[in-house]
Amino acid sequence: MKPIEIQDLLEYRYLSGLALSPDNRHIAFVVQQAASDQNSYIGSLYLYDTVSQTTRMLTSGGREKSFFWLDGSTILFPGLRDPELRKKKAQGEPWTAFYAIDIRGGEACEHMRIPLEVISAKPLDSRRFVLLARTNSTLPDFHALSQEEQAACLREGKDYTVLDEIPYCSNGRGYTSKWRQRLYFYDRSSGELRPITGELENVSFYQVQGEEVLYISSTYREKYNLTSALTRYHIQRGSHQVLVEDGVYKMEYAGFWGEEIFLAATDMKRYAMNESPNFYWVREGRLVLLAENDFSIHSSMTLDCKLGGGSGFSLEGDTFSYITTRGGSDYIATLSQDGRISLLGRDNGSIECFARGKEGEYYFIGTRGTRLQELYCLRDGVETQLTACNEEYRNSHTVCEPVYFPIEKKGLRLDGWVIPPADFDECRVYPGILSIHGGPKTAYGAAFLHEMQVLAAKGYFVFYVNPRGSDGRGDAFSDIRNQFGRVDYEDFMDFTDQVLEAYPQIDRERLGVTGGSYGGYMTNWIIGHTHRFACAVSQRSISNWITKILTTDIGYYYNADQVGGMPWPDPTPLWDCSPLKYASQVKTPTLFLHSDQDFRCWMAEGLQMFTALKLHGVQTRLCLFHGENHELSRSGTPRHRIRRLKEMTDWFQKYLE
């Protein structure tokens, strides 16, 4: 068996976007793989036949990463196969072309071309569609301009950016002032293209049924807020009916449930913006409680071997289904119309997306156990693996199994795991690494994590825990507002103490610590409060809450809500829980990893801490990745993901071995 190595990222297959055909006969999904020569990911559509139980590749263009079913035998997917259209897009023209492919055979043909940057599309019938597109009301209608005006428009604005609202940026999208996600109606036969929502209205979720569209949106001019409105739109009449006014509820899902309108929303009164949504009926402008809920309605699992998305909701018949994280695993949860919530599946890793079949079965893409992503069927409580996209790799490599390691402290259970090194020998002594997840409202589990498997293969104990603040244990457990760096720090130190006691093979003098985002914050905090770690790797970190609040995409609302106020009138609470305040106490050699397009934890956070440690004579190094954002470790370019892990392992080797 081969050891797992850094460059194995190039061998993994990443599954996403699962969707059932209308007749339930076929499951389409996307498979992507890193292309080292292109330094990107190539994607193709695959088809699983539920009757013959066979899988086959449907497209081979290498650019297919999303799609939707038009009917029982036709799939539409966006693409740029026309060289002229590809050239126009590269020059900045907003175009989206959709190609149709018959799953029974034949080549993909261009089906429609739309003069918008389309994010997603839902068919009303074979010729009419509801589109979600990215638009900017301050830009002219490019397609209405003459060629000379188009050329001038493309030249104009390339050397400056105007900002006049907050947030003015978004991680992964760059500067976003006045950019919105807008709904449109499109008729392929007549060419009619008309907006459904306003120029400054931002749509976060939408559903279609018959001639109606149900959507969640917010309208803002100077500052984006967390609350949204729920609106019902009739296609033929062109009429809007606001069902729930903006200003009170943060909404996550809405749907047509029989004759009723169903909504998942929270007023954020108990646990602020991190509060999980309750389930409601929308009746005559009022929300009528269907069921209280204490858990997220999406996956919060930390993974580094997935790309793309897919649906995490289903509203079929008398059941609403969704993904939820409980402890260190994902489940499919069901809600009935009488308010009962049930969990399906077992404690076995993550679920990325799913679709519900006509017989009540669920098809899902998951990272189950220590396997990489595969397609599964959940029927009558039994999970069956349907594909073997990554089985050849897994069967030829040594995967180190995480050992569940919970700890108890003052009546509170913390879920943790320990991964012993490959070829573990109880008579030997090994270095150990504490790994800290982001969020903090996310969760670790026993699912496959490439980074941890690489470290274990190189001879390290890797141990990790879900401290207070993590997801999967209810809102009260997740709520650490105004306690960052306090209760969570205690949890990490207590967990480390108990791991070292249980595993005397870990050398207490050769301990490392690492984490990204919130995990980077905690890494910075830990090295300022203890010298027990021989080295640290701080990734996409936070060092100064005052600058973080004022320079990042979610800072002014998330950090103010969770950490403890604003810089005015008194910045003391923010400064007291900023790692930068304690930089003079740091003695731990520290590597900083940041990306220059990370608008979530802006590179200034790493630069401040790096400079402070240099000023105090601490051994430190900073590697800044150009063109990457906050998702470097999960979906960055292959070359940079490999370089990131090499920087980490070289640093650990230097100070721990």
Side-chain angles (χ1 to χ4, degrees), residues 60-76:
S60 57
R63 299 176 181 268
E64 293 78 58
K65 298 181 181 180
S66 64
F67 69 94
F68 62 91
W69 287 93
L70 181 63
D71 53 45
S73 61
T74 308
I75 288 176
L76 263 59

Side-chain angles (χ1 to χ4, degrees), residues 431-477:
I433 297 172
L434 170 66
S435 182
I436 304 173
H437 66 58
K441 198 179 178 185
T442 61
Y444 272 143
F448 186 98
L449 281 155
H450 176 70
E451 176 182 317
M452 294 186 183
Q453 291 293 331
V454 166
L455 292 171
K458 288 184 175 294
Y460 299 97
F461 267 92
V462 185
F463 48 98
Y464 51 98
V465 66
N466 291 332
R468 281 171 285 182
S470 302
D471 204 4
R473 296 282 298 280
D475 284 340
F477 185 89

Side-chain angles (χ1 to χ4, degrees), residues 230 241 243-244 257 259-263 280-290 337:
L230 179 65
Q241 178 189 8
L243 302 177
V244 181
W257 200 349
E259 299 299 317
E260 301 263 27
I261 299 296
F262 170 74
L263 178 66
Y280 298 93
W281 299 117
V282 180
R283 294 170 177 166
E284 298 179 352
R286 297 183 305 109
L287 298 192
V288 178
L289 183 66
L290 171 60
Q337 291 184 330

Side-chain angles (χ1 to χ4, degrees), residues 148-165:
E148 292 77 10
E149 291 171 326
Q150 287 181 354
C153 181
L154 292 173
R155 290 193 302 269
E156 178 73 8
K158 283 193 173 181
D159 56 350
Y160 64 89
T161 299
V162 175
L163 309 176
D164 62 358
E165 64 185 19

Side-chain angles (χ1 to χ4, degrees), residues 236-478:
Q236 291 186 345
R237 293 196 294 266
S239 60
H240 295 80
Q241 178 189 8
V242 178
L243 302 177
V244 181
E245 296 282 352
D246 195 356
V248 177
Y249 293 97
K250 178 186 173 187
M251 304 178 186
E252 195 163 343
Y253 177 91
F256 299 97
W257 200 349
E259 299 299 317
E260 301 263 27
I261 299 296
F262 170 74
L263 178 66
T266 172
D267 59 12
M268 302 179 284
K269 289 183 178 179
R270 293 186 63 199
Y271 297 105
M273 66 168 291
N274 268 350
E275 185 171 299
S276 299
N278 288 328
F279 303 122
Y280 298 93
W281 299 117
V282 180
R283 294 170 177 166
E284 298 179 352
R286 297 183 305 109
L287 298 192
V288 178
L289 183 66
L290 171 60
E292 292 185 341
N293 174 53
D294 198 35
F295 297 91
S296 297
I297 62 171
H298 56 259
S299 173
S300 297
M301 298 298 297
T302 297
L303 297 173
D304 60 2
C305 290
K306 68 173 184 177
L307 297 169
S311 176
F313 302 108
S314 170
L315 195 51
E316 302 284 345
D318 59 357
T319 304
F320 171 60
S321 308
Y322 58 96
I323 300 171
T324 185
T325 299
R326 304 291 177 94
S329 184
D330 285 341
Y331 298 82
I332 293 176
T334 63
L335 171 70
S336 61
Q337 291 184 330
D338 61 5
R340 289 182 294 111
I341 298 175
S342 303
L343 293 183
L344 306 178
R346 58 193 179 93
D347 183 355
N348 195 30
S350 74
I351 297 174
E352 283 77 73
C353 57
F354 74 91
R356 187 177 186 226
K358 289 182 178 179
E359 303 301 320
E361 74 278 16
Y362 290 86
Y363 298 98
F364 69 87
I365 291 170
T367 309
R368 308 301 274 172
T370 53
R371 280 178 159 78
L372 289 152
Q373 285 184 311
E374 299 291 354
L375 175 65
Y376 293 84
C377 177
L378 173 61
R379 189 192 302 268
D380 299 326
V382 178
E383 293 182 7
T384 303
Q385 184 176 328
L386 303 180
T387 60
C389 296
N390 286 295
E391 284 301 285
E392 183 178 349
Y393 174 86
R394 189 181 188 280
N395 292 335
S396 60
H397 288 74
T398 300
V399 177
C400 298
E401 296 280 346
V403 178
Y404 181 51
F405 190 88
I407 70 169
E408 297 283 340
K409 47 180 294 182
K410 299 177 181 178
L412 180 69
R413 188 192 85 248
L414 299 180
D415 296 318
W417 291 263
V418 177
I419 304 179
D423 300 322
F424 172 53
D425 181 347
E426 291 186 358
C427 297
R428 289 183 56 194
V429 177
Y430 301 84
I433 297 172
L434 170 66
S435 182
I436 304 173
H437 66 58
K441 198 179 178 185
T442 61
Y444 272 143
F448 186 98
L449 281 155
H450 176 70
E451 176 182 317
M452 294 186 183
Q453 291 293 331
V454 166
L455 292 171
K458 288 184 175 294
Y460 299 97
F461 267 92
V462 185
F463 48 98
Y464 51 98
V465 66
N466 291 332
R468 281 171 285 182
S470 302
D471 204 4
R473 296 282 298 280
D475 284 340
F477 185 89
S478 300

Side-chain angles (χ1 to χ4, degrees), residues 153-221:
C153 181
L154 292 173
R155 290 193 302 269
E156 178 73 8
K158 283 193 173 181
D159 56 350
Y160 64 89
T161 299
V162 175
L163 309 176
D164 62 358
E165 64 185 19
I166 55 175
Y168 50 79
C169 60
S170 175
N171 183 65
R173 290 170 51 195
Y175 293 103
T176 57
S177 188
K178 287 297 186 293
W179 284 96
R180 301 291 189 268
Q181 294 185 167
R182 193 177 186 187
L183 286 178
Y184 288 81
F185 167 78
Y186 176 68
D187 189 319
R188 176 173 175 263
S189 299
S190 66
E192 179 186 3
L193 178 65
R194 70 168 187 263
I196 293 175
T197 55
E199 289 184 343
L200 295 177
E201 192 173 0
N202 191 67
V203 176
S204 59
F205 185 88
Y206 72 110
Q207 294 275 48
V208 300
Q209 178 176 284
E211 293 294 316
E212 293 189 308
V213 184
L214 189 66
Y215 64 90
I216 297 170
S217 68
S218 58
T219 302
Y220 61 98
R221 296 180 182 275

